[in-house]
Amino acid sequence: MTQPPSNPEIGRNVVAAGIRTNYHDVGQGFPVLLIHGSGPGVSAWANWRLTMPHLAARARVLAPDMVGFGFTERPVGINYNLDTWVGHALGFLDAMGIEKADLVGNSFGGALSLALAIRHPRRVRRLVLMGAAGVPFTLTPGLDAVWGYEPSVQAMRRLLDIFAYDRRLVNDELAELRYRASVQPGVQEAFAAMFPAPRQRWVDALASPEAEIRALPHETLVIHGREDQVIPLSNALTLSRWIHRSQLHVFGRCGHWTQIEHADRFSRLVGDFLAEAASDEPRPLDPVEPRMDPLT
């Protein structure tokens, strides 16, 4: 997997859960693990390039390419599923010697972060779920198009138009750049193996059980773009209802690229939320009186 050393998507590498993993490590302080989404040609750097410098002023920021994506090794015969990805994320924390971290997950990465917090609650301090999967929902045309991507510059341009509310962020140069990333050796083969049609089953496979989400003891920030065409806003409302210690922030005039379309505001929001957590420890939920939920 040889690439020009000037490629900013390539950072350091470590063996995590037996997989040689490309990752970025910037800043100092309490560790924050950023988990990217599942778009074609995605990498940790492409997803978090505007976020990492801001958060690194307050924390140690780690952003790995999850197995199957970016410049991380793609083992022959690997089964891409939630267990594999959660195991890889946990193995990355172990390889880095990190006992506990804050998690920030985008879309597919939100589902992984949610599952990791449920399965290994003592490894997580606070949780940020941005445009997150991880709960049941009906496959959107936008997500079907993302997971069904067939490589071409035109197809990539159409996907970028789906991702962004502000079309000024989308141009032919960006489409060409992301197209090239999507056709690196092994990338499209791995991507096509992850989410073949019919794709509703993969939405369901990334979902965690409602009872386990409701039992989460962590302070959680749920973030979503109001005009998101990939993951519906209803996901954020569901998560904010189910997670007892949650806050919800919805960005108007924003699609699925919250961390890019509102980069400065997103980074401040997340940074402030995580900075409040100096004394946080996951603990049992406070007893609450039963109540009627007007949104169910």
Side-chain angles (χ1 to χ4, degrees), residues 5-284:
S6 60
N7 186 342
E9 296 184 86
I10 299 176
R12 307 178 187 182
N13 70 83
V14 68
V15 176
I19 299 164
R20 186 154 296 280
T21 302
N22 180 62
Y23 72 98
H24 303 267
D25 185 350
V26 294
Q28 295 181 341
F30 193 84
V32 180
L33 179 63
L34 306 181
I35 305 182
H36 59 73
S38 62
V42 74
S43 69
W45 183 87
N47 211 156
W48 301 114
R49 64 190 183 277
L50 302 180
T51 307
M52 288 190 288
H54 286 271
L55 294 186
R58 301 182 175 203
R60 180 185 180 189
V61 180
L62 299 113
D65 290 349
M66 299 307 299
V67 62
F69 297 95
F71 296 90
T72 285
E73 179 186 10
R74 298 175 178 81
V76 175
I78 191 169
N79 187 10
Y80 293 111
N81 58 33
L82 190 59
D83 290 342
T84 296
W85 284 310
V86 170
H88 185 215
L90 187 66
F92 178 74
L93 292 178
D94 290 342
M96 302 303 295
I98 294 172
E99 181 180 355
K100 181 179 290 187
D102 293 325
L103 302 185
V104 182
N106 170 27
S107 192
F108 154 90
L112 268 58
S113 298
L114 191 63
L116 178 56
I118 288 169
R119 299 179 188 190
H120 304 278
R122 295 188 180 277
R123 304 298 295 271
V124 179
R125 186 177 69 164
R126 282 196 166 194
L127 193 58
V128 179
L129 305 173
M130 187 198 82
V135 298
F137 67 96
T138 300
L139 177 73
T140 63
L143 183 56
D144 197 32
V146 170
W147 282 350
Y149 168 80
E150 294 288 344
S152 75
V153 176
Q154 295 75 18
M156 182 60 75
R157 177 61 191 252
R158 288 193 294 271
L159 286 190
L160 297 181
D161 283 334
I162 291 171
F163 276 117
Y165 173 82
D166 186 349
R167 297 301 188 273
R168 292 173 299 178
L169 295 173
V170 177
N171 55 44
D172 292 339
E173 182 180 0
L174 179 59
E176 177 70 25
L177 182 68
R178 298 322 307 162
Y179 162 73
R180 290 179 184 173
S182 76
V183 294
Q184 291 286 338
V187 170
Q188 180 58 21
E189 292 83 353
F191 187 74
M194 291 178 196
F195 310 111
R199 297 187 179 89
Q200 179 64 50
R201 55 183 166 156
W202 309 123
V203 170
D204 301 337
L206 288 174
S208 292
E210 177 180 347
E212 295 181 1
I213 296 174
R214 287 184 179 274
L216 277 172
H218 307 85
E219 295 284 353
T220 302
L221 175 62
V222 181
I223 301 174
H224 218 96
R226 188 181 61 200
E227 284 78 27
D228 194 333
Q229 297 182 60
V230 180
I231 303 294
L233 177 59
S234 60
N235 274 30
L237 302 179
T238 297
L239 287 165
S240 69
R241 294 200 310 271
W242 288 1
I243 300 175
H244 180 58
R245 292 193 174 95
S246 67
Q247 305 295 324
L248 172 64
H249 188 101
V250 178
F251 284 95
R253 298 173 61 83
C254 182
H256 194 56
W257 275 356
T258 308
Q259 83 282 22
I260 294 173
E261 295 190 72
H262 295 273
D264 290 345
R265 294 173 63 199
F266 171 82
S267 295
R268 285 198 303 271
L269 179 66
V270 172
D272 288 346
F273 173 73
L274 298 182
E276 296 170 357
S279 62
D280 273 5
E281 287 292 339
R283 57 196 187 279

